[in-house]
């Protein structure tokens, strides 16, 4: 067996963005399973991962390769929220989810409540849906600009 890793062909921005949205929805499904099993400490971080994937999908569509949590949040704030592409109400939600993910995954002193998990899942669903819609709009705009589809 060869220990060499094969390098993947670069994927078009739109394809990678769609894959990230699918990953976000999968993470939301995992969060719901944790919630149903009353494993709230697992649900909240899963919501964060869903939101992170959704933010990365939008950023990738805009041309950013940000991957690490701090750079994704910083880029999402400056390139998406501050440009008015999504509502400002999402910024504190994103920051809170990252903080709670860190607390729940790295410490033994924090737990998530049923109420917190339920709220986090609802917020995550909303942000992933907004990200999905924004990715679709950006991809359609790009295709119109390139003349691949007719303008209205």
């Amino acid at each position: 067996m060869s220990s060499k890793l094969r390098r993947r062909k670069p994927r078009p921005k739109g394809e990678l963005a769609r894959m990230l949205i699918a990953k976000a929805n999968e993470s939301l499904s995992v969060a719901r399973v944790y919630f149903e099993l009353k494993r709230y400490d697992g649900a909240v971080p899963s919501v964060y991962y869903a939101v992170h994937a959704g933010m990365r999908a939008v950023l990738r569509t805009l041309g950013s390769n940000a991957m690490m949590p701090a750079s994704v949040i910083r880029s999402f704030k400056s390139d998406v929220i501050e440009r008015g592409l999504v509502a400002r109400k999402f910024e504190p939600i994103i920051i809170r989810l990252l903080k709670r993910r860190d607390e729940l995954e790295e410490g033994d002193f924090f737990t998530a409540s049923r109420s917190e998990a339920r709220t986090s899942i609802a917020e995550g669903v909303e942000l992933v849906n907004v990200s999905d819609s924004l990715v679709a709009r950006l991809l359609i705009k790009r295709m119109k600009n390139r003349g691949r589809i007719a303008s209205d």
Side-chain angles (χ1 to χ4, degrees):
M1 276 195 201
S2 173
S3 63
K4 291 183 183 178
L5 295 175
R6 288 190 336 180
R7 185 172 262 255
R8 290 184 182 167
K9 285 177 67 176
R11 296 183 188 275
K13 291 177 189 174
E15 183 181 343
L16 182 56
R18 301 309 312 156
M19 289 173 59
L20 287 165
I21 292 296
K23 183 177 182 178
N25 283 310
E26 184 178 313
S27 293
L28 286 173
S29 294
V30 169
R32 289 181 188 108
V33 168
Y34 274 125
F35 185 83
E36 292 303 317
L37 294 172
K38 298 181 178 154
R39 301 284 311 271
Y40 310 124
D41 292 353
V44 174
S46 293
V47 172
Y48 169 76
Y49 292 121
V51 168
H52 183 261
M55 291 188 299
R56 280 192 60 217
V58 171
L59 292 171
R60 185 68 183 130
T61 305
L62 292 171
S64 171
N65 291 321
M67 291 180 64
M68 301 305 293
S71 62
V72 168
I73 291 170
R74 187 173 45 254
S75 294
F76 196 80
K77 179 181 177 191
S78 64
D79 297 345
V80 180
I81 294 174
E82 289 179 2
R83 286 175 53 196
L85 298 176
V86 301
R88 288 199 173 272
K89 73 176 187 175
F90 291 114
E91 185 178 357
I93 293 168
I94 294 164
I95 301 299
R96 180 179 47 76
L97 285 170
L98 173 63
K99 180 180 180 213
R100 290 300 285 151
R101 184 220 52 178
D102 290 345
E103 291 171 348
L104 293 166
E105 288 189 346
E106 297 174 10
D108 295 329
F109 306 107
F110 298 98
T111 60
S113 68
R114 175 181 171 84
S115 173
E116 178 185 8
R118 183 185 314 113
T119 300
S120 295
I121 290 169
E123 292 168 338
V125 166
E126 184 179 10
L127 186 51
V128 168
N129 287 341
V130 165
S131 296
D132 188 14
S133 177
L134 181 55
V135 165
R137 286 194 326 261
L138 291 168
L139 291 175
I140 289 169
K141 182 178 178 181
R142 181 182 304 140
M143 290 173 73
K144 283 181 179 179
N145 289 343
R146 292 182 180 170
R148 292 187 183 163
I149 58 176
S151 298
D152 295 340

